[in-house]
Amino acid sequence: MQRQVFAQKFHHPLSGTAASRRVKLNDLKMDPSSPVLPATILEQTALRLGCSPTDEKLAVYLDEEDELKNLRECFCIPKVKDLPPTDLSLANGEESCVYFAGNSLGLQPRKVKTYLDEELDKWARTGVHGHFDGQRPWALADECILDLMAELVGAQRHEVALMNGLTVNLHLQMLSFFKPTPRRYKILLEARAFPSDHYAVESQLQLHGLDVKKCMLVMQPREGEETLRIEDILAVIEKEGDSIAVILFSGVQYYTGQLFDIPRITKAGQEKGCFVGFDLAHAVGNVELHLHDWGVDFACWCSYKYLNSGAGGLAGAYIHAKHSQSIKPALIGWWGHDFKTRFLMENKLQLSKGINGFRLSNPPILLVCALQASLEVFGQTTMKALRRKSILLTGYLEYLIKNYYNEDKTNPEKPFVKIITPSQIEERGCQLTLSFSLPIKSVFKELEKRGVACDMREPNALRVAPVPLYNSFHDVHRFIEILGSAITSSKQTANNTALSASY
């Protein structure tokens, strides 16, 4: 019935010729600052196509008009049959899966294997000479892809280093930026920060002999709300700022998918004399970043989520150029020594400026290969173009969820889905975090049986991330259809369980 109602509502009133006019590609472009919402574009496009916004025809058309659609071919999309939880009685094993888990682990770029084989072959053939030979000299391998990474985060080349893992880099940076004094000794972070960040802050405070309960300010959402309001964040900074040494926030909150206002938080914190840093694990490769122009003091990120470098991939770190003379590393390794004299081995430190002085060891070449393969795909487009597609792609997912699974007060038996992630496009990346009226573990299990890869987080969140690099609008439409089957099955299971309990 819903499909029929929508078809009538959006049926094109003009002649067949007018109704079949192709929508111009520019009509489909989105911008975070645009007053035009994704829902409006979807409805207007469906109107011109003469179909409902829920019709598969719209998804097919949006994919045809997607100027980034060829990037999908740069990645290995798993087959349904190869996903361990799949039940082949419920899904076509030969189809590509619906992969909405790029916020947890990005897909493998096709060139990864080629690049790895090149370096393994070079090692086999030339041994130690690989350090300074070939198109990817091992001793300089990370620097070969530095420009691509700096472009993604909106930084200058010398402000970025590729090294270690995220938490290692965060600790190295905190050792230099968190210098507590009797008056300024607190660290501010958001509630439900990723455990690594939470533990890093706790341990940094303990390292200085400080009371975690007094010195760790954790911002909670208002009662009854899931996400933080920017006005509340700014109010806490204004009130507590004189005693805060470091503000450490996520760029995008891993659980809720909320995109924080990085420039406003940075400006507010610095005006109160605080250093401001960000964990960009869920932001880099997901949203546009301008770290240098925003004046962010420091940041770190992993590269295996939206940057698709493989589990445990090479992480990144950033320190603003304004600190290149004043902020020094607390812990020093050989690779922090200036390259020009590094190999003289004189043990007379000539520390590289800025973030390069924080480097400890030579780059792991095999990890560099994987990251290079992904960054080169990003290099075929721009974050602005990816963000435009992402806004419409996630907007399409939101539109369909609200159409089919909004709570209906008049029908309490109807299962519903609540979207935790902010609805404002400037306050989210590609991820939507969903909660369900049904037991979430059951819904998640049924989705996995049917060839959907997404991510469940305790206590009650399903994280779904359509990634613009390799996900399509048809992926979104398929997900919604599969979600319907999963919910139906979960409801039946819940009903059977309740029936059994009543005997």
Side-chain angles (χ1 to χ4, degrees), residues 3 76 150 155 214 379:
R3 290 177 182 266
C76 302
K214 292 181 180 178

Side-chain angles (χ1 to χ4, degrees), residues 124-146:
R125 288 185 301 102
T126 70
V128 71
H129 295 284
H131 281 303
F132 294 100
D133 185 56
Q135 64 178 2
R136 203 181 292 111
W138 302 334
L140 305 168
D142 55 331
E143 298 182 34
C144 296
I145 56 176
L146 211 50

Side-chain angles (χ1 to χ4, degrees), residues 356-431:
N356 281 303
F358 285 70
R359 297 163 78 197
L360 298 174
S361 304
N362 53 320
I365 182 59
L366 300 183
L367 298 186
V368 170
C369 289
L371 182 55
Q372 178 182 353
S374 178
L375 292 181
E376 286 178 347
V377 180
F378 280 95
Q380 296 180 41
T381 182
T382 64
M383 276 309 304
K384 186 174 289 294
L386 285 167
R387 182 69 170 135
R388 277 201 304 262
K389 176 181 174 181
S390 179
I391 290 169
L392 193 58
L393 191 64
T394 296
Y396 183 44
L397 175 62
E398 177 187 41
Y399 188 94
L400 294 180
I401 289 172
K402 287 184 174 180
N403 178 64
Y404 289 117
Y405 300 114
N406 256 359
E407 184 176 7
D408 185 353
K409 300 288 188 182
T410 65
N411 182 10
E413 293 296 314
K414 177 193 171 188
F416 63 88
V417 179
K418 177 185 175 185
I419 300 176
I420 294 172
T421 309
S423 58
Q424 295 83 358
I425 59 177
E426 69 276 9
E427 293 183 25
R428 69 186 186 200
C430 72
Q431 172 184 320

Side-chain angles (χ1 to χ4, degrees), residues 37-319:
L37 296 174
T40 302
I41 288 183
L42 295 167
E43 290 172 356
Q44 290 180 351
T45 305
L47 183 65
R48 296 177 189 180
L49 292 171
C51 68
S52 158
T54 63
D55 197 309
E56 185 179 14
K57 182 179 179 181
L58 176 60
V60 171
Y61 177 79
L62 292 173
D63 282 335
E64 288 174 351
E65 294 299 303
D66 176 16
E67 59 191 23
L68 302 179
K69 60 179 177 288
N70 291 335
L71 297 181
R72 180 180 172 94
E73 301 305 315
C74 298
F75 295 88
C76 302
I77 313 293
K79 295 287 188 183
V80 168
K81 65 183 179 182
D82 293 324
L83 300 183
T86 298
D87 181 344
L88 291 176
S89 69
L90 299 173
N92 180 355
E94 297 304 318
E95 284 189 321
S96 296
C97 75
V98 176
Y99 194 87
F100 281 177
N103 56 341
S104 184
L105 181 71
L107 289 178
Q108 182 186 126
R110 291 190 180 276
K111 284 191 175 181
V112 169
K113 192 172 187 302
T114 299
Y115 290 169
L116 288 173
D117 285 345
E118 287 174 358
E119 296 313 313
L120 292 173
D121 180 63
K122 184 167 71 174
W123 180 21
R125 288 185 301 102
T126 70
V128 71
H129 295 284
H131 281 303
F132 294 100
D133 185 56
Q135 64 178 2
R136 203 181 292 111
W138 302 334
L140 305 168
D142 55 331
E143 298 182 34
C144 296
I145 56 176
L146 211 50
D147 288 333
L148 289 169
M149 181 61 84
E151 177 72 20
L152 277 186
V153 298
Q156 298 174 0
R157 177 185 171 92
H158 61 274
E159 293 176 321
V160 175
L162 298 172
M163 57 187 190
N164 310 316
L166 187 157
T167 309
V168 174
N169 290 335
L170 178 57
H171 273 301
L172 292 174
Q173 291 173 312
M174 290 292 286
L175 285 170
S176 296
F177 280 94
F178 182 55
K179 300 289 188 181
T181 67
R183 292 189 59 189
R184 196 180 286 277
Y185 52 90
K186 297 176 183 176
I187 300 175
L188 175 66
L189 70 163
E190 85 265 18
R192 204 184 271 157
F194 195 79
S196 288
D197 292 359
H198 191 97
Y199 300 150
V201 169
E202 280 188 337
S203 60
Q204 287 287 330
L205 291 168
Q206 291 165 348
L207 183 66
H208 289 279
L210 297 171
D211 186 329
V212 172
K213 291 183 179 180
K214 292 181 180 178
C215 301
M216 187 172 175
L217 300 182
V218 180
M219 275 219 64
Q220 299 282 352
R222 296 186 186 187
E223 187 175 353
E225 298 183 358
E226 297 277 0
T227 57
L228 292 170
R229 299 190 187 191
I230 183 62
E231 60 266 30
D232 292 345
I233 297 172
L234 299 181
V236 169
I237 293 172
E238 178 61 32
K239 178 183 177 182
E240 302 281 352
D242 291 337
S243 63
I244 296 173
V246 171
I247 297 170
L248 178 66
F249 263 72
S250 304
V252 172
Q253 219 285 332
Y254 89 97
Y255 186 86
T256 66
Q258 179 179 12
L259 168 59
F260 290 114
D261 194 330
I262 296 175
R264 288 182 71 185
I265 293 171
T266 300
K267 184 174 184 291
Q270 291 174 349
E271 285 178 350
K272 297 295 287 187
C274 314
F275 285 126
V276 185
F278 289 89
D279 173 348
L280 301 176
H282 288 265
V284 64
N286 181 13
V287 297
E288 289 185 79
L289 298 169
H290 304 280
L291 298 183
H292 178 83
D293 291 345
W294 291 338
V296 172
D297 292 304
F298 69 95
C300 52
W301 56 92
C302 62
S303 65
Y304 54 82
K305 302 180 190 301
Y306 297 107
L307 295 189
N308 318 295
S309 71
L314 190 61
Y318 155 93
I319 294 178

